[in-house]
Every structure is written in structure tokens, then in C-alpha cells.
Amino acid sequence: MPVRPAPAHILMTADALGGVWQYSLELAEGLGRRGLSVTVALMGPAPSDAALARAEAASGARIRPTGMPLDWTAGRPEDVTGAAAAIARLARAEGADLVHLHSPALALADFDVPVVAVCHSCVATWWAALGSGPLPDDLAWRADLAARGCRAADRLLAPTRAFAEATRSAYGLARAPEVVRNGRRLSDVPGVGEPASHAFTAGRLWDRAKNAAALDRLAARLDAPLLAAGPAEGPNGERFAADHLRLLGRLDAARMERELGQRPVFVSLAHYEPFGLAVLEAAGSGCALVLSDIPSFSELWEGAAILVPAEDDAAAAEAVRSLLVDPERRGSLADAARIRAARYGTDAMAGGVLGVFRDLLSETGSRALDRIAAGAAA
């Protein structure tokens, strides 16, 4: 009997501070079902041992906390380039066939294998959406590292066309990153009974990009509660204080699933959102959506959500009120959101990323390409 070759091994970086964590776990699980072996190098603060054990069980990946700094919280450029070099050494030690980075700046090292970097978000595009004038010094050096990393990586990915173009423009790239949509494994079972008579939002409330101040003003205009899940204090010291939002704090996956399972009207008035996994989760749970009319949301959800200007809390309040009092319209919009969300599943995401891996390994003549094919056929 012929000996089956060892599976192709992917070293993936991630952090546990936001949507990248769930993206990485679901991608690892999807790649594992396609016959690949995945090790996740966890950057920044690590969850509890119990949470890590649950993540390993759910994803099928081996997760290695590194304690290395994130590019957006590091104190100096050398911290980021040092982390990149450490990832390259880890890839070598692990015998990785390909490295999948959650931050282009981590591509600034001597890797022995092909490197794919995902543009999830970055300070340059964040500033373009929220700031004015030149980048502050503390952001400028981070943007410089990201620009150099974009050019060093063998492939760049982005989750929407809008963000791919924003990245190309911000860093003067010859071509935009390739688009592979983010994805979530969504429930096939719609909620039962009447949907909740309140509104709900989720995200890093401390981040100005999420526009929590407008959400707070929106909450003041509603008779129904607006519940907000997510941290109000960031690792960089940023804080948000609410006057009208009902803050729930950071929720684990099970609690978030319970909240969304009530099918509240989901609201996001973000100024900047490269994709928005919380929106996808809400849509998949059967929530009607009220979203800011920004390029990424328009690209993903036009026709399946009510889109309003990000700073127009009066228009947002009217949209939420109209859905709360009109069950037929709310149900129709929720159905449209669920149908749209089905396009952005884990299988589609993993298949898209694997296609990029195959193309890159084929170009480099890597023997790992045969092991990917063998794993997919097993």
C-alpha cells in the first residue's frame, strides 16, 4: 500500500483582539477539512488556557501563543520587524510550506517559503477614513512598515473590492490585493418566534472607526433599547463612555450567538469597516440590518440592508423605528440579509484562500502543491 504523503503545513498568524481571531479559526478549520495542517502563531495578548483549548478543538489547528507584539500596538519599528523575524524562524522550525500572515508588516523578514498576507485593516486606510492632514508620526512609521510589507509579500488578499482599492491607493501599489471574502459558518436554522423588540450593535466601541458616539445619539432617539456588545476600552488606552447605549461588555461566542439569536435589529454606523464580521453574523442569524452607507457595506449588503449616512443618527433612528413597527418589512429585510450572508460562508472563504495557495505554490514549483492535491483527494 502506498504511503500517503504528509499534509501540506500552513503557518498562520493571528491575534485575539478582534474579528481576525474568528476569521483565523474558521479559515484554519476550513483548510483542515481540505487536508492541510495548520499552526496558528498567536500574536499579542492570549485568551485563557480554557479558551485556547476550545479554539484548538473547534479549528483543528495547533495554536502557539508567542507573546510577540502586534504591529498597531508596538512601541517602535524594531518591535514589529523583530516579530517578523521570529515568525520566519518559527516557520522554519515548524517546517511550514507556506506562511499566511494577518498583517503585511510581518512579511518584512527572510522567509524560506512563499508568503501570503491579508490586509484586514491598517492605520493608513483608517486615517484616510477618519483623520485629516498628514499621518501623525506614531502612525506614519506603522504605515511605512505596512507599505514595505505589502511589497515584500508574494500575494496580498483583502476582504472587499472597496478595501482592496483603498489599500492600493494608500500604499501606491501597482495593483490592488486580490479579493477573497471573509466568511463565517452560519446556522442553517432560522430563529423561531417573534424577533426581539430592541436594537443591537457589536464591535470595538473604543475605536473611533466604529462611530459609537453616533450610536449613542441614535440610542437617545429610540424608545426601544439599543444594546452594544464589545470592549469600551482599547489596548492603546482609548475609551468610550456611553450615555444612552446599554453596554454589555465583551461577549464570548456563545453569548453573542444567544444575543443575535433573538434577532434584534442590528445597527452599525461605522465610518471605516474593511468587511464587518459582526454584520455577517447578525445577517446569518436572521437580523434585519441598518448600516452606514460606506463603500464596503454597500458592496456587500446593498439591497439586503437599509443604508444611511454614518453621521445621520436621525435617519438611522427612523430606519430602526420603521423596522420595529413593521414586522412584514422587517421579516423581508431579514430574509434578504440571510440569503446574502450565505454567499460569505467558511467554505467559500477557505476555497478562495486555498486557490491562492495553489497558484502561488505552482508558480514557485513547490512540492507542497502535490501534498495539497493529495490532502484534498483524501
Side-chain angles (χ1 to χ4, degrees), residues 3-366:
V3 177
R4 181 179 296 171
H9 186 194
I10 308 301
L11 179 69
M12 180 186 303
T13 66
D15 70 66
L17 294 182
V20 169
W21 182 231
Q22 196 62 46
Y23 162 90
S24 301
L25 296 180
E26 297 229 4
L27 178 58
E29 188 270 338
L31 294 175
R33 284 189 288 105
R34 286 160 172 77
L36 280 69
S37 170
V38 179
T39 296
V40 177
L42 182 61
M43 317 285 288
S48 67
D49 290 344
L52 284 175
R54 289 193 297 271
E56 286 193 326
S59 66
R62 187 161 58 106
I63 301 175
R64 295 191 53 172
T66 67
M68 289 183 285
L70 305 173
D71 59 317
W72 56 280
T73 61
R76 53 184 188 154
E78 292 79 10
D79 295 336
V80 179
T81 54
I87 292 298
R89 291 193 296 270
L90 180 60
R92 199 170 298 122
E94 291 281 338
D97 297 297
L98 185 145
V99 173
H100 180 277
L101 300 173
H102 77 301
S103 168
L106 293 175
L108 293 174
D110 292 327
F111 288 91
D112 297 334
V113 294
V115 172
V116 174
V118 185
C119 304
H120 287 290
S121 66
C122 68
V123 296
T125 53
W126 182 92
W127 183 258
L130 295 164
S132 61
L135 277 164
D137 290 343
D138 188 51
L139 299 185
W141 66 261
R142 302 176 201 276
D144 176 66
L145 291 180
R148 289 163 51 201
C150 284
R151 291 175 172 83
D154 296 295
R155 285 288 189 281
L156 288 178
L157 305 182
T160 57
R161 291 189 302 274
F163 189 61
E165 179 54 33
T167 301
R168 186 205 62 76
S169 177
Y171 299 119
L173 304 178
R175 63 179 183 177
E178 184 173 346
V179 176
V180 177
R181 305 270 192 237
N182 290 348
R184 288 299 310 271
R185 188 166 303 287
L186 304 173
S187 171
D188 294 328
V189 182
V192 296
E194 294 298 318
S197 57
H198 65 266
F200 183 81
T201 191
R204 297 188 303 271
L205 302 175
W206 55 267
D207 184 350
R208 283 194 291 134
K210 306 305 180 186
N211 201 14
L215 292 169
D216 201 44
R217 297 194 304 270
L218 164 62
R221 294 176 177 273
L222 297 175
D223 295 328
L226 174 50
L227 280 57
E233 181 176 353
N236 55 1
E238 293 280 347
R239 293 173 180 266
F240 167 74
D243 292 321
H244 305 285
L245 288 171
R246 188 178 298 178
L247 302 185
L248 303 179
R250 187 190 296 272
L251 305 184
D252 62 20
R255 176 75 187 281
M256 181 67 79
E257 185 176 348
R258 289 197 297 272
E259 292 291 339
L260 292 176
Q262 299 178 61
R263 291 172 293 146
V265 174
F266 185 90
V267 186
S268 173
L269 297 181
H271 283 298
Y272 168 86
E273 187 64 84
F275 184 84
L277 279 171
V279 179
L280 176 56
E281 291 180 51
S285 298
C287 299
L289 307 177
V290 176
L291 307 176
S292 52
D293 191 4
I294 58 176
S296 56
F297 283 166
S298 177
E299 176 184 330
L300 295 169
W301 301 106
E302 187 171 15
I306 298 177
L307 299 173
V308 299
E311 286 296 334
D312 194 342
D313 48 281
E318 177 57 32
V320 172
R321 280 195 296 265
S322 71
L323 294 174
L324 290 175
V325 302
D326 188 343
E328 184 175 348
R329 186 181 183 214
R330 181 176 178 180
S332 176
L333 199 63
D335 288 343
R338 273 185 63 84
I339 292 169
R340 185 70 57 83
R343 300 181 187 177
Y344 313 134
T346 299
D347 285 341
M349 172 178 65
V353 171
L354 184 57
V356 174
F357 288 177
R358 284 186 175 125
D359 287 347
L360 182 53
L361 291 171
S362 176
E363 288 179 8
T364 60
S366 172

